[in-house]
Amino acid sequence: MPNDRKDTNVRHAAPELSQVQRRAVGELLRVSPIADDLATRFARAGFTLALVGGSVRDALLGRLGNDLDFTTDARPQDVLRLVRPWADAVWEVGIAFGTVGCRKSAPAEDGAGDRRDYQLEITTYRSEAYDRDSRKPEVVYGDSLEEDLRRRDFTVNAMAVALPRKEFIDPHHGLSDLAERVLRTPGTPEESFSDDPLRMLRAARFAAQLDFTVAEPVRAAMKEMADRIDIVSAERVRDELSKLLVASQPRKGITLLVETGLADRILPEVPALRLERDEHHRHKDVYEHSLTVLEQAIDLEEDGPDLVLRLAALLHDIGKPKTRRFETDGRVSFHHHEIVGAKQTKQRLTRLKYPNELIKDVSRLVELHLRFHGYGTGEWTDSAVRRYVRDAGPLLSRLHKLTRSDCTTRNKRKAQALSRAYDSLEDRIERLKEQEELDAIRPDLNGNDVMEILGIGPGPEVGRAYRFLLEMRLERGPLEREEAVSALKDWWAGQASE
């Protein structure tokens, strides 16, 4: 029975639609003047059009952007025929799934100022389902808006505004669920997740993105059907995971994935952090610690959500389960967990088909996240500081944030000491930057200089000489050319005598 409540007439707005919410729907249409224009084109051609799904939901939540979703009884080729003369640009990336995308510029609402670009997706009424052996859903087109709304993932995404008559349609009580901030499915959760198992991840994503609670029947189905996520392609899983992580409350979504067993299927290294606690060998709860580090890293973001930083914060300690040792003195150690964790990070993100550059950056941050703890009370030499900056490279700012976030101790004195130590390190980095080009540390002589000074041609000897000069640069800082030339010749003489 659909979401365990009685149906109402689909052609009438739900009684919960307050005056404020009516104004919200009106505002949605006011700021989207192209909606009526587009609907008129479809109506003249004998087709229906409705604003639907996330666009209606976000309008009611007061967070509508310039991305608008429509649904229609027109087939994709008919949609193309109608929008090509009208839109500023059209793309067919999703046409196999019944979706045509386009861009349309429209005047600002007040008729003055710059024009606004809208990204539109127009999807034919459809239903889709996976079978046990396929990674791609089978798309079947539908013939009614009611059928289309029923096949949608959650009731809050199963509301529509029929155009151009501007009729609010809510057959599955999405408005009530929106007011309660709860996720339910139009039909049974089992039916919904069988149609597309990715919806289980979308539940976690919406919980994180919108701060919604997941209804208990939905949560139970996620737990029961977690293994069905295996049929979904890595790319689709990756995209949902990324959206979850850059949401306002990723902890909420990750917790749901772990508690339902979905994380065991897509990101098993995270639930593995829930190391059993031992009264004799007491140690930090690594799972809770990692979630706290994630939240603290988010607090340090300066220019909006940073997926690289958030992934590094979540995964920075995933090497601990494999490296845990119980020492004879009662302590628990995790020697070299940053090295093991970096390798695991690379393997997991590769399986999830993340871009190579992102994989490299996140893995490097995981590998470097402990480096600061060798700083101690500030006994690092200038050469050690240079190596820290050189090894971090363009990730230095993120490494600063990750390292500061990694302090979750409740001991205020210890936390303040760590903060002061890192303040000291950052100050030293800034002072050295004023004296040297730390952001791009290079030897004082380049490859051409090496060949000219030593009288050699291209080959491995040049590389060895370059590495010697780089090490000398890190140890001693910038040198005068004559000093660098003399040191190079002395090194080369030593090589010849070996």
Side-chain angles (χ1 to χ4, degrees):
M1 186 174 181
N3 70 38
D4 66 18
R5 294 178 301 195
K6 289 181 66 178
D7 283 336
T8 57
N9 188 328
V10 300
R11 289 299 175 185
H12 291 84
E16 296 87 351
L17 187 60
S18 68
Q19 195 73 19
V20 172
Q21 290 159 335
R22 287 183 186 278
R23 284 199 299 270
V25 173
E27 177 69 3
L28 181 153
L29 296 171
R30 183 183 71 82
V31 300
S32 305
I34 60 171
D36 282 342
D37 188 14
L38 184 61
T40 299
R41 292 184 68 86
F42 274 69
R44 286 173 180 166
F47 299 113
T48 61
L49 187 73
L51 201 63
V52 73
S55 293
V56 177
R57 178 201 70 217
D58 287 347
L60 292 167
L61 290 173
R63 60 195 298 273
L64 180 66
N66 287 4
D67 295 344
L68 303 177
D69 296 325
F70 297 88
T71 188
T72 180
D73 58 350
R75 296 303 191 250
Q77 293 304 319
D78 293 317
V79 175
L80 284 172
R81 177 172 53 83
L82 290 168
V83 300
R84 274 184 172 142
W86 174 83
D88 299 321
V90 176
W91 49 90
E92 304 178 29
V93 175
I95 200 163
F97 299 100
T99 299
V100 172
C102 62
R103 175 175 54 81
K104 179 69 173 178
S105 177
E109 300 87 69
D110 58 6
D114 296 333
R115 296 171 68 85
R116 295 179 62 180
D117 280 341
Y118 292 89
Q119 307 293 325
L120 316 179
E121 285 197 349
I122 306 161
T123 303
T124 302
Y125 298 155
R126 67 188 185 190
S127 60
E128 56 189 34
Y130 280 81
D131 62 37
R132 286 283 170 183
D133 303 313
S134 174
R135 285 185 173 271
K136 293 184 179 180
E138 178 186 357
V139 176
V140 179
Y141 295 131
D143 296 309
S144 70
L145 179 58
E146 291 83 356
E147 178 187 358
D148 182 83
L149 294 178
R150 178 178 169 77
R151 69 96 191 160
R152 290 182 176 264
D153 51 7
F154 303 105
T155 60
V156 295
N157 295 331
M159 297 178 283
V161 176
L163 302 170
R165 61 184 182 277
K166 303 179 179 62
E167 180 181 4
F168 182 77
I169 300 171
D170 181 22
H172 302 291
H173 307 274
L175 191 60
S176 296
D177 290 340
L178 194 68
E180 294 175 23
R181 306 187 75 82
V182 63
L183 288 175
R184 294 188 178 93
T185 52
T188 67
E190 291 78 10
E191 288 173 341
S192 182
F193 298 155
S194 291
D195 285 348
D196 186 353
L198 188 71
R199 290 172 175 176
M200 295 185 285
L201 296 191
R202 286 169 63 83
R205 191 247 291 185
F206 285 130
Q209 205 172 55
L210 304 173
D211 191 20
F212 278 25
T213 299
V214 176
E216 188 51 43
V218 175
R219 178 186 288 264
M222 291 169 68
K223 192 171 185 178
E224 181 67 25
M225 301 176 67
D227 65 326
R228 285 287 286 143
I229 200 65
D230 295 347
I231 205 68
V232 180
S233 70
E235 291 85 353
R236 296 185 77 211
V237 169
R238 173 203 64 208
D239 290 347
E240 280 301 322
L241 181 61
S242 295
K243 291 174 184 176
L244 185 160
L245 284 170
V246 299
S248 59
Q249 297 192 48
R251 182 185 188 124
K252 189 168 187 175
I254 293 163
T255 300
L256 182 60
L257 293 180
V258 170
E259 290 177 351
T260 57
L262 279 160
D264 290 320
R265 322 295 300 195
I266 66 168
L267 202 61
E269 294 81 5
V270 171
L273 293 172
R274 295 180 297 176
L275 303 176
E276 65 272 13
R277 298 187 67 105
D278 184 306
E279 288 304 317
H280 180 61
H281 299 291
R282 286 183 297 176
H283 58 275
K284 191 178 294 183
D285 183 327
V286 184
Y287 171 68
E288 288 296 328
H289 163 74
S290 297
L291 293 180
T292 301
V293 172
L294 172 60
E295 291 179 317
Q296 293 183 169
I298 291 170
D299 289 340
L300 296 178
E301 290 175 338
E302 299 165 317
D303 301 309
D306 183 343
L307 180 60
V308 169
L309 177 63
R310 295 189 184 196
L311 278 167
L314 178 64
L315 303 177
H316 76 284
D317 273 347
I318 62 172
K320 282 191 170 181
K322 282 190 174 182
T323 59
R324 183 173 59 158
R325 297 289 183 271
F326 295 106
E327 306 294 351
T328 56
D329 62 0
R331 293 181 302 108
V332 179
S333 68
F334 305 96
H335 295 308
H336 306 300
H337 77 268
E338 72 280 15
I339 305 300
V340 173
K343 291 179 180 177
Q344 289 179 280
T345 296
K346 182 178 180 180
Q347 291 168 352
R348 177 54 52 193
L349 298 184
T350 299
R351 290 192 185 105
L352 287 170
K353 304 294 181 68
Y354 274 100
N356 291 335
E357 193 66 25
L358 179 143
I359 294 172
K360 183 180 75 172
D361 288 349
V362 177
S363 301
R364 187 62 169 157
L365 286 170
V366 172
E367 182 181 353
L368 293 174
H369 83 272
L370 279 186
R371 183 73 65 85
F372 158 73
H373 294 284
Y375 188 73
T377 56
E379 67 272 15
W380 276 12
T381 62
D382 283 351
S383 66
V385 175
R386 291 187 196 102
R387 291 176 191 278
Y388 188 81
V389 174
R390 191 274 307 268
D391 291 347
L395 297 172
L396 183 63
S397 175
R398 285 177 170 134
L399 183 58
H400 286 334
K401 296 181 178 69
L402 177 60
T403 303
R404 288 187 179 277
S405 302
D406 197 20
C407 176
T408 61
T409 179
R410 296 181 181 178
N411 184 319
K412 290 185 178 179
R413 184 177 299 175
K414 183 178 180 181
Q416 289 172 352
L418 284 169
S419 180
R420 285 195 298 270
Y422 207 83
D423 288 343
S424 170
L425 175 58
E426 287 201 66
D427 288 342
R428 288 186 64 189
I429 289 171
E430 289 306 311
R431 287 199 301 272
L432 280 174
K433 278 187 175 181
E434 291 176 4
Q435 303 166 25
E436 310 173 22
E437 295 181 12
L438 285 189
D439 292 330
I441 293 177
R442 299 180 184 87
D444 298 288
L445 304 171
N446 60 34
N448 290 330
D449 294 330
V450 168
M451 289 187 287
E452 180 181 344
I453 293 165
L454 301 182
I456 61 176
E461 292 86 357
V462 178
R464 288 168 49 220
Y466 190 89
R467 287 190 292 274
F468 161 75
L469 290 167
L470 178 59
E471 286 298 314
M472 186 173 66
R473 170 70 174 78
L474 289 167
E475 285 294 332
R476 298 167 58 180
L479 303 176
E480 294 294 335
R481 180 177 176 84
E482 293 77 10
E483 192 177 359
V485 169
S486 177
L488 175 62
K489 288 180 177 179
D490 289 345
W491 172 82
W492 183 246
Q495 298 297 303
S497 64
E498 289 182 1

